[in-house]
Amino acid sequence: MSEILVNTIKKADGTGSLTVPADTGTVLTTATTASSIPGYGSQITGADQYRLSGNISIPRQSLQVLNNNWERPDTGGFAKIGTGVSEAAGVFTFPETGIWLISATFVFQELDENNQYDEGHIYTTVDDGSNWVQSASVIGALLALGVPRYFTSHCEFLFDVQDTANYKARLAGFTEDVSQVLGNTNTTLTGVTFTRLGDT
């Protein structure tokens, strides 16, 4: 293969110049695909966020899947990266394979004075919901007396999404007594953020 050795490229009239760097790189053209660029797979190519638009009650000693009231933020200048994660009945489906960071925040309101703790959970499945695994959890103790009382918690999980048809996620809450998970359509209280960190 032939090589052309130059230090500077100029226009035909001698004006303007482009200095050829010493680094080895990739020449980009209009036909270049993003995935062919070195390092592309390590860039953040997907990010999305959902929040509860209203409260969800949790019965005494019950695990409650947060399966309704989900919405993307529509205030404050929200924007997603890429196609975005889809949601149906509280189940989140990923738009592409890769390593996804799931970050969930729960805000609980206690409705019974005897309640001493709440739990927030991230569940994942690799078989389209036939089996759900409790992948990340947070437990908070509430020592103060009286109602209402509030508790905020956060947990995260790195999910290796190898197949977009079968790898999915959802959130759930558990309470010792009676409580509710708080949601608001104007600001994010209970919510979840999905960030694609790289290739699987």
Side-chain angles (χ1 to χ4, degrees):
M1 179 171 51
S2 300
E3 290 185 351
I4 300 175
L5 304 178
V6 297
N7 292 321
T8 304
I9 301 173
K10 290 189 176 184
K11 292 174 61 178
D13 63 3
T15 63
S17 64
L18 173 65
T19 301
V20 179
D23 297 333
T24 299
T26 301
V27 176
L28 305 182
T29 71
T30 55
T32 302
T33 60
S35 60
S36 69
I37 301 173
Y40 169 82
S42 62
Q43 306 302 307
I44 293 178
T45 58
D48 205 353
Q49 190 173 64
Y50 282 84
R51 67 187 178 200
L52 289 184
S53 60
N55 302 340
I56 295 180
S57 298
I58 304 180
R60 181 180 287 106
Q61 291 290 319
S62 296
L63 179 71
Q64 175 65 53
V65 176
L66 307 184
N67 56 10
N68 56 53
N69 294 345
W70 287 108
E71 67 172 12
R72 283 193 178 99
D74 51 7
T75 56
F78 165 81
K80 58 185 174 63
I81 298 175
T83 304
V85 174
S86 60
E87 180 272 331
V91 175
F92 296 96
T93 301
F94 299 85
E96 58 181 314
T97 60
I99 308 299
W100 287 81
L101 174 63
I102 306 173
S103 302
T105 299
F106 303 84
V107 179
F108 294 95
Q109 180 184 13
E110 306 311 320
L111 302 176
D112 190 299
E113 188 170 308
N114 294 320
N115 194 27
Q116 294 299 309
Y117 70 90
D118 288 307
E119 301 175 2
H121 304 287
I122 297 173
Y123 280 83
T124 57
T125 178
V126 298
D127 53 17
D128 195 22
S130 295
N131 297 280
W132 288 94
V133 176
Q134 185 177 306
S135 300
S137 302
V138 63
I139 301 174
L142 300 160
L143 302 179
L145 297 177
V147 290
R149 293 172 294 169
Y150 300 90
F151 169 62
T152 300
S153 60
H154 182 85
C155 61
E156 297 182 333
F157 182 67
L158 281 172
F159 192 27
D160 183 4
V161 178
Q162 300 179 23
D163 176 355
T164 58
N166 293 298
Y167 286 62
K168 301 178 181 183
R170 69 184 186 185
L171 304 186
F174 178 86
T175 183
E176 179 190 23
D177 218 294
V178 181
S179 67
Q180 61 183 355
V181 182
L182 298 186
N184 190 305
T185 191
N186 296 314
T187 188
T188 300
L189 296 176
T190 299
V192 59
T193 299
F194 302 94
T195 307
R196 186 183 185 278
L197 300 179
D199 294 337
T200 181

